[in-house]
Amino acid sequence: MQRTGFTTTIPLEVLIAAGRKPVDLNNIFITGGRSRQQVEDAELAGFPRNVCGWIKGIYAAIRESGISEMVAVTEGDCSYTKALMEVLSLEGITVIPFAYPHDRDAASLKAEIEKLMRHFAVEWAEVNRAKERLDGIRRKIREIDRLTWQENLVSGGENHYFQVSSSDMNGDPDLFEAEADAFLRVVADRKPRTERIRLAYIGVPPIIADLYPFLESIDARVVFNETQRQFAMPYETVDLIEQYRSYTYPYDIFHRLDDILTETGKRKVDGVIHYVQSFCFRQIEDMIVRKKLSLPILTLEGDKPAPLDERTRIRLEGFVEMLEGRG
Ligand code: SF4
């Protein structure tokens, strides 16, 4: 089965309808076991030091994987993507652009999806069948999320894993569904977790390895993973265009904030970790997040794939202690 890589969540239904094996390049970079080395490899190949680690990791991961075709999201994701596309197409990789319209216009989004469908030679009937199949799995991931915040049966890291993996269903929807089913069976026998502090994690997924277990070791647990949940398509939508219009990540921060405000309230969150990636333009959004959220916020910056450093651990401990003092 031909593999097709992508740089961020795209309408996965199109790739599944086309019989491609979807590969989220972020996921193979961060879980491949060589992420630190891959960032260094990209720097040796010529990527500047002051470019985001995810971009360097995606570059090295696609080169190492032998994947020869990728969909690159040119609008609604990352300001570095166009340059990354250019470098990769120079190196012989077929790059298919996809854009989320900034204004969330339904007609423009439909035109983009249909352009992708033409490239992969699939029709709406096949795409809608793929949506039905994927929606069945997404409902199970939604249940894992509910069990995290409502029943306290799932750790922040487990919640992160299942939601972030649903961007490409780990390349094999059947296997991924079986993994989710097995996890749901295990969870059914658990006793509720008892961490005192409930946290929201907002921003791009962490490049840091051990954030979730560390937080749990200091009596705090992430009960809302904002972006990862979006990758899992959390809204039950019949229409594919509506599904990718409701998806908040590629649109403006205000659209994301509506979701963050709703979910942090519903999930009774005590504090927010806003993760920002070094050299990412999204760091600027921290100013807006701080103006719009009334909850205590800790802004955490990560650079390269690595465990938490001592300074960051101390900052996290201080933040959790402060939240305990308020409660
Ligand atoms: S963290 Fe920011 S700069 Fe890095 S890939 Fe994601 S959007 Fe781009």
Side-chain angles (χ1 to χ4, degrees):
M1 191 185 275
Q2 186 176 347
R3 291 176 298 166
T4 302
F6 46 88
T7 54
T8 187
T9 296
I10 53 159
L12 185 61
E13 292 78 359
V14 176
L15 299 192
I16 297 293
R20 294 295 211 276
K21 185 178 170 73
V23 180
D24 185 326
L25 298 166
N26 297 280
N27 294 355
I28 57 164
F29 155 57
I30 206 69
T31 60
R34 281 189 16 88
S35 48
R36 203 173 170 82
Q37 182 62 46
Q38 285 176 326
V39 170
E40 283 169 19
D41 291 349
E43 286 176 359
L44 278 175
F47 275 78
R49 273 197 44 73
N50 60 350
V51 162
C52 160
W54 284 104
I55 288 294
K56 289 186 272 200
I58 287 174
Y59 167 80
I62 193 165
R63 294 289 315 274
E64 267 188 41
S65 68
I67 292 171
S68 58
E69 170 186 80
M70 67 180 270
V71 179
V73 174
T74 54
E75 296 289 333
D77 182 30
C78 176
S79 53
Y80 289 116
T81 303
K82 281 184 190 155
L84 178 68
M85 275 171 68
E86 287 163 358
V87 171
L88 288 171
S89 58
L90 189 70
E91 297 186 7
I93 291 171
T94 304
V95 181
I96 306 130
F98 177 80
Y100 288 99
H102 185 71
D103 58 2
R104 297 176 60 230
D105 177 62
S108 310
L109 181 57
K110 185 166 186 259
E112 277 295 318
I113 292 176
E114 288 181 338
K115 196 163 82 181
L116 203 60
M117 288 165 57
R118 274 196 301 281
H119 176 89
F120 287 102
V122 290
E123 301 292 333
W124 272 111
E126 298 159 290
V127 170
N128 285 331
R129 261 201 306 281
K131 173 169 162 52
E132 262 177 50
R133 168 78 189 105
L134 295 177
D135 281 355
I137 305 172
R138 288 172 179 141
R139 274 180 214 114
K140 294 178 183 179
I141 305 305
R142 232 172 274 154
E143 175 62 2
I144 292 173
D145 187 35
R146 188 192 70 77
L147 292 170
T148 309
W149 68 269
Q150 208 166 30
E151 312 279 342
N152 299 317
L153 296 172
V154 176
S155 73
E158 291 164 337
N159 178 285
H160 160 87
Y161 168 76
F162 279 102
Q163 295 193 108
V164 87
S165 302
S166 59
S167 64
D168 65 357
M169 305 275 165
N170 279 348
D172 183 336
D174 293 342
L175 208 61
F176 184 59
E177 183 172 35
E179 191 182 346
D181 285 338
F183 181 74
L184 284 165
R185 284 195 294 275
V186 167
V187 163
D189 289 332
R190 284 185 180 171
K191 290 198 171 53
R193 305 181 63 101
T194 56
E195 292 89 357
R196 283 183 56 201
I197 297 299
R198 296 168 70 84
L199 295 172
Y201 175 98
I202 67 170
V204 297
I207 207 162
I208 300 165
D210 52 352
L211 177 66
Y212 297 98
F214 177 71
L215 288 170
E216 281 152 24
S217 76
I218 56 172
D219 215 12
R221 182 170 55 101
V222 171
V223 297
F224 175 50
N225 277 305
E226 184 232 346
T227 306
Q228 298 90 324
R229 174 171 167 272
Q230 289 298 320
F231 294 164
M233 303 289 128
Y235 314 109
E236 188 75 46
T237 43
V238 180
D239 177 64
L240 189 84
I241 310 295
E242 262 322 292
Q243 177 180 317
Y244 288 98
R245 281 187 74 242
S246 314
Y247 169 48
T248 63
Y249 177 73
Y251 305 110
D252 65 42
I253 183 74
F254 302 105
H255 190 49
R256 281 179 52 206
L257 276 168
D258 287 344
D259 171 62
I260 293 168
L261 284 166
T262 306
E263 293 302 319
T264 49
K266 189 166 96 182
R267 296 173 190 229
K268 299 196 171 31
V269 161
D270 300 302
V272 176
I273 294 177
H274 184 202
Y275 177 82
V276 294
Q277 180 67 33
S278 301
F279 313 116
C280 175
F281 69 99
R282 291 182 187 273
Q283 286 210 20
I284 300 167
E285 294 171 345
D286 193 54
M287 291 191 293
I288 302 170
V289 166
R290 286 183 172 275
K291 279 206 178 112
K292 292 288 179 184
L293 293 188
S294 52
L295 287 162
I297 301 171
L298 176 77
T299 304
L300 200 66
E301 181 171 340
D303 182 7
K304 292 188 172 168
L308 289 165
D309 59 39
E310 202 46 42
R311 185 176 155 271
T312 309
R313 284 172 176 249
I314 291 167
R315 287 188 67 217
L316 288 167
E317 280 167 352
F319 185 59
V320 169
E321 265 169 36
M322 183 273 287
L323 295 175
E324 278 171 344
R326 286 165 54 105

